[in-house]
């Protein structure tokens, strides 16, 4: 996935930034004001209308897909648009799945599910694409190379489940993969909307991150905030890098060379946080704070001389 597509995908989710942040995207404020300024920023969603499932009509399904995912229904395809969910699901499969997914186990499953409600079907297709993308960046290979053999890797599949928080419908897809490709069932955690940050409280001792935190303290940021809230964000980013990218998997979080972190990594992390927000794992305010914490970390490390390039300049 190139940077332009990353930016497009982020915009599709409907997250917008305040004018204050846009005006300061390329000029980080004085570090002393960091604690107050970033806590006031929050990712915002655009209005998407009323999607009460009890009153869901064909027009509302299209409005939902268009507003949330920037899908444009072909105007000339009036015949399909009058055929209910099966027609819309067929269109979703043709335009959204074909050419993106090549694993037979997923294609067969999505083919069999074309008769369900369109909103549920789209949720499954999005999750299937999320699965493929996870394997793609984890293995460092093209999505065309991700077939049943790759999906049968229990270790990678388990890591994906732990990060993706599947809902009831999406869990069925995972069970289908386990049934077809694995010898026994795979562990599925219970879906929760009260996810704790405890998983990110592992102590980290990364040299450049430590230098950044010391700089924050010297500039007047409270130690409680630095070693509490901000350090959680830094730990989350480091462990996420190691979990998701093949080039960091054999490296301790404390030893990850941040000079190898690219703009694409930062954009992928932003997308990951947005998925957590849409799934209800974290609030939009929390994921906004996490992203800005990491953006400021990388920008400040450049100013301190720890990084050769400021990769945050074009990432708002």
């Amino acid at each position: 996935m190139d940077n332009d597509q990353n930016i497009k995908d982020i915009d599709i989710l409907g997250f917008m930034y305040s004018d204050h942040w846009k005006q300061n995207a390329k000029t980080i404020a004085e570090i002393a004001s960091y604690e107050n300024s970033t806590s006031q920023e929050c990712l915002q969603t655009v209005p998407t209308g009323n999607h009460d499932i009890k009153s869901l009509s064909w027009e509302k399904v299209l409005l939902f897909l268009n507003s949330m995912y920037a899908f444009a229904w072909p105007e000339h395809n009036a015949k399909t648009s009058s055929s209910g969910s099966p027609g819309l699901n067929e269109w979703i499969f043709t335009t959204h799945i074909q050419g993106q997914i090549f694993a037979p186990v997923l294609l067969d499953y999505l083919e069999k599910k074309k008769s369900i409600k369109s909103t549920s079907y789209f949720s499954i297709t999005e999750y299937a694409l999320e699965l493929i993308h996870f394997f793609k960046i984890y293995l460092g290979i093209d999505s065309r190379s991700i077939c049943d053999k790759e999906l049968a890797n229990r270790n990678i599949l388990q890591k994906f489940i732990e990060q993706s928080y599947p809902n009831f419908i999406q869990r069925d897809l995972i069970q289908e993969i386990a049934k077809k490709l694995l010898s026994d069932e795979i562990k599925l955690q219970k879906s929760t909307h009260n996810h704790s940050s405890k998983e990110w409280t592992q102590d980290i001792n990364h040299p450049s991150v430590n230098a950044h935190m010391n700089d924050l303290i010297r500039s007047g940021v409270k130690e409680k905030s630095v070693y509490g809230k901000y350090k959680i964000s830094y730990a989350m980013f480091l462990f996420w890098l190691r979990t998701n990218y093949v080039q960091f998997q054999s490296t301790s979080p404390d030893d990850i060379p941040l000079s190898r972190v690219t703009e694409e990594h930062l954009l992928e992390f932003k997308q990951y946080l947005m998925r957590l927000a849409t799934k209800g794992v974290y609030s939009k305010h929390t994921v906004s704070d996490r992203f800005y914490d990491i953006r400021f970390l990388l920008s400040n490390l450049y100013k301190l001389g720890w990084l050769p390039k400021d990769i945050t300049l074009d990432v708002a």
Side-chain angles (χ1 to χ4, degrees):
M1 181 182 296
D2 58 30
N3 291 342
D4 288 341
Q5 185 61 44
N6 273 322
I7 295 171
K8 179 182 178 183
D9 289 345
I10 290 169
D11 290 339
I12 283 173
L13 288 172
F15 289 97
M16 306 299 293
Y17 298 93
S18 69
D19 290 336
H20 170 74
W21 182 261
K22 290 179 180 178
Q23 292 169 3
N24 294 278
K26 295 188 178 182
T27 305
I28 302 298
E30 291 296 327
I31 297 175
S33 64
Y34 169 62
E35 182 177 1
N36 293 327
S37 63
T38 57
S39 64
Q40 297 171 3
E41 298 290 346
C42 182
L43 298 176
Q44 302 293 323
T45 57
V46 296
T48 55
N50 177 19
H51 305 301
D52 184 356
I53 194 68
K54 293 181 180 179
S55 62
L56 199 63
S57 64
W58 175 264
E59 291 75 15
K60 286 186 177 181
V61 169
L62 291 181
L63 176 62
F64 170 74
L65 295 180
N66 285 334
S67 61
M68 288 298 290
Y69 301 99
F71 273 7
W73 182 260
E75 294 181 2
H76 64 276
N77 207 340
K79 181 179 180 181
T80 304
S81 67
S82 63
S83 59
S85 289
L88 179 55
N89 292 349
E90 180 63 41
W91 176 73
I92 291 173
F93 184 87
T94 301
T95 62
H96 200 48
I97 297 302
Q98 288 184 344
Q100 303 296 324
I101 294 179
F102 300 89
V105 67
L106 287 180
L107 292 175
D108 290 346
Y109 179 81
L110 294 174
E111 181 69 38
K112 293 176 183 177
K113 290 292 182 178
K114 286 181 179 178
S115 61
I116 68 176
K117 293 179 180 179
S118 294
T119 48
S120 297
Y121 187 71
F122 192 77
S123 174
I124 295 175
T125 60
E126 280 291 284
Y127 194 67
L129 289 169
E130 190 177 333
L131 170 65
I132 293 298
H133 186 64
F134 183 88
F135 272 75
K136 174 184 175 181
I137 63 176
Y138 190 96
L139 296 173
I141 60 178
D142 187 84
S143 59
R144 290 178 175 273
S145 301
I146 301 172
C147 295
D148 289 358
K149 178 181 178 181
E150 286 68 33
L151 294 181
N153 188 312
R154 179 185 294 272
N155 178 53
I156 303 178
L157 189 59
Q158 192 69 60
K159 288 180 181 294
F160 170 72
I161 294 170
E162 292 169 358
Q163 288 202 22
S164 62
Y165 304 94
N167 60 30
F168 177 79
I169 297 173
Q170 295 163 345
R171 289 159 70 92
D172 185 64
L173 182 149
I174 295 296
Q175 293 289 18
E176 180 72 8
I177 293 176
K179 178 182 176 182
K180 294 291 182 65
L181 303 182
L182 304 178
S183 58
D184 54 2
E185 293 185 357
I186 195 165
K187 182 180 179 181
L188 283 171
Q189 63 188 45
K190 293 182 179 180
S191 180
T192 176
H193 293 281
N194 297 310
H195 181 67
S196 171
S197 60
K198 289 182 179 179
E199 66 177 282
W200 305 117
T201 57
Q202 301 102 318
D203 192 30
I204 56 171
N205 189 30
H206 193 285
S208 60
V209 173
N210 289 343
H212 167 71
M213 291 192 296
N214 290 335
D215 189 58
L216 289 180
I217 294 172
R218 285 195 303 269
S219 301
V221 180
K222 296 178 181 178
E223 289 191 25
K224 182 178 180 180
S225 295
V226 173
Y227 291 109
K229 172 183 177 295
Y230 302 141
K231 193 173 183 179
I232 290 175
S233 297
Y234 308 149
M236 181 181 192
F237 184 61
L238 292 173
F239 278 91
W240 176 84
L241 285 172
R242 189 184 67 169
T243 300
N244 285 272
Y245 290 92
V246 64
Q247 64 263 45
F248 300 129
Q249 287 163 17
S250 60
T251 307
S252 164
D254 291 339
D255 298 323
I256 290 178
L258 294 183
S259 60
R260 293 177 60 189
V261 173
T262 66
E263 180 179 311
E264 182 176 355
H265 291 134
L266 189 55
L267 288 168
E268 288 285 357
F269 184 63
K270 185 177 183 180
Q271 288 184 318
Y272 167 66
L273 291 172
M274 289 177 174
R275 287 195 294 272
L276 294 184
T278 58
K279 291 173 182 290
V281 178
Y282 287 120
S283 70
K284 287 176 285 186
H285 184 85
T286 297
V287 300
S288 177
D289 283 351
R290 294 281 183 264
F291 174 70
Y292 293 138
D293 289 347
I294 300 306
R295 188 186 185 282
F296 185 78
L297 165 69
L298 297 173
S299 177
N300 193 43
L301 286 178
Y302 166 72
K303 292 180 180 179
L304 293 175
W306 283 82
L307 297 179
K309 179 182 179 183
D310 186 355
I311 65 170
T312 71
L313 292 177
D314 295 320
V315 181

